[in-house]
Structure formats: structure tokens, C-alpha cells
Amino acid sequence: MRIDILTILPELLDSPLNHSIIKRAQQKGIAEIFVHNIRNYTNYKHRQVDDYAFSGGAGMVLMIEPIDNLITHLKKEREYDEIIYTSPDGELYSQSLANSLSLKNNLMILCGHYKGIDHRIREHLITMEISIGDYVLTGGELAAAIIADSVIRVIPGAISDEQSALTDSFQDGLLAPPVYTRPAEYKGWKAPDILLSGNTKEIEKWLHEQSVERTKKLRPGLI
Ligand code: ADE
């Protein structure tokens, strides 16, 4: 899978996508992430990419031309399955959306901007809008990082034990069960005996019961 991220703040994406599982997935060739600076595609003086809104008011709006230049340039190289815009107006992001995006070959993510982007970009160039939650971020970069991370980690091979992405919270509509490791007892706080019993069948049963119980208690809406 290839993900192209379009932003006016590429520095914001350096760190989140260059560590741990996502870094290793790129090294293994499972995923490629390219971050593009929209400013490199403007024909305006002083690398200008935003301007005042026709409707007035404070805050600048990202202009259509640099973004169209960049999208057109990328589309010449390959076909994109989705051109995503990150915005609080978009479809609420979920594990099932991450799973379905992970089956695509080429994704483009245009990072939103605090005041907005010229609406014609959304009308003519964007194929999908995604919100990561009902709150407002200063820009779409963190949302783009969340989308890229959650999509890449479910691609088979990204996580060494393939099972482990499938047993995540939400994958079966349930929250994940609690996990414990050594020491079995710390300050008198004991890990559940069942997990130390070695009885795999009983452990599996217990884990499922815990998932159901936690989901009922913490996220009843998921049941
Ligand atoms: N940009 C600003 N807020 C956002 C949100 N909640 N989701 C996605 N992109 C955003």
C-alpha cells in the first residue's frame, strides 16, 4: 500500500510515522508513506498557499491551485483508490473503515486546515471525508497520522504476530480483554489465577467473557 499525505506542515508528520510498527512496515515494504509539502506546488509569490475568505472574517483559507497542482501531479503517476480529506465534517472514523481502507493500494490524504480549504477542492477532487471525532483540531495532520497508523497496522505482516491485530479491541465488535505480565503478584495485586493455569481452553473462554463484560460496562453501545 502507498499513502500520500498532502500538508502545509510536513514536520508535524515526521515523528508519528517513523517509529515502531509503522516504521518497520515501511522497512518491510508493506507500506510506503510519502509526505508532500503543498507549498512546493504554488505558483504564487512567497510560496503563498492561503488567502482571505471571500465571505470575510478572520482566518485564511487554503487556495485551490497549489492543491490541484499537487493532486494532478500525483494522479499522473498512479490511480488513487480514495482521495481523503480530514475534517470534522467527515464520516466518523472507525475500525471497520480502517479495515476497508487497508485493502486499497493507493490512498491520498489531504490534511485539513483550521479555517478550511476552498470548497471547490472538496466538490471536485476529494472522494471521501473523514473525521476522527467530534472535536476540532488545529489541522488535519494528526488525523492523517491516525488514519495512516490504523490502516497500516492491520495490513497482514505489519504486526509480526498476525493474530494480534485481529484480536484488537473493536475487531470483533468487542473491547479487548485485559492483559497481564510478570510478576504474577506485585504489592499484593494479583494477576488472575486462571491466566497462570496453563489451561488454554479455559483461558480463551475467560478472555472472551472479559471482553463481553468490559464492552457491556464501558461501551454498551457496541453490543
Ligand atoms: N481537522 C480538524 N478537526 C478534525 C477532526 N475531528 N477530524 C479530522 N480532521 C480534523
Side-chain angles (χ1 to χ4, degrees), residues 32-196:
E32 292 178 291
I33 303 173
F34 295 90
V35 177
H36 306 271
N37 189 342
I38 295 168
R39 280 188 203 281
N40 295 339
Y41 292 82
T42 179
N43 298 319
Y44 294 93
K45 265 196 268 173
H46 312 300
R47 288 166 50 91
Q48 184 187 355
V49 288
D50 53 10
D51 210 338
Y52 294 101
F54 285 141
S55 49
M60 306 290 269
V61 175
L62 282 187
M63 290 188 286
I64 192 165
E65 196 180 319
I67 291 172
D68 184 38
N69 287 345
L70 175 50
I71 293 181
T72 304
H73 165 73
L74 291 171
K75 274 165 74 173
K76 268 194 202 135
E77 305 289 319
R78 68 199 61 78
E79 251 182 54
Y80 284 87
D81 300 291
E82 295 289 355
I83 303 181
I84 297 164
Y85 175 57
T86 56
S87 153
D89 312 353
E91 175 180 348
L92 206 52
Y93 198 52
S94 62
Q95 187 62 55
S96 64
L97 189 45
N99 293 350
S100 74
L101 290 175
S102 76
L103 304 174
K104 311 287 186 194
N105 291 323
N106 295 309
L107 297 177
M108 209 190 287
I109 307 176
L110 171 62
C111 300
H113 183 58
Y114 71 100
K115 177 71 190 189
I117 60 173
D118 189 304
H119 201 69
R120 289 165 290 184
I121 298 165
R122 298 167 73 171
E123 286 172 332
H124 299 286
L125 299 171
I126 296 299
T127 63
M128 173 183 253
E129 302 203 358
I130 293 179
S131 164
I132 59 157
D134 288 339
Y135 43 80
V136 180
L137 304 164
T138 49
E141 285 74 16
L142 298 178
I146 283 169
I147 295 167
D149 181 296
S150 55
V151 165
I152 290 170
R153 69 187 294 286
V154 291
I155 299 175
I159 295 180
S160 43
D161 174 4
E162 236 184 71
Q163 271 297 340
S164 82
L166 296 175
T167 56
D168 286 341
S169 282
F170 302 112
Q171 282 297 10
D172 52 4
L174 295 174
L175 299 183
V179 289
Y180 301 84
T181 186
R182 291 186 297 172
E185 185 170 348
Y186 178 75
K187 288 187 176 174
W189 307 332
K190 290 173 80 179
D193 288 338
I194 178 79
L195 298 178
L196 307 170

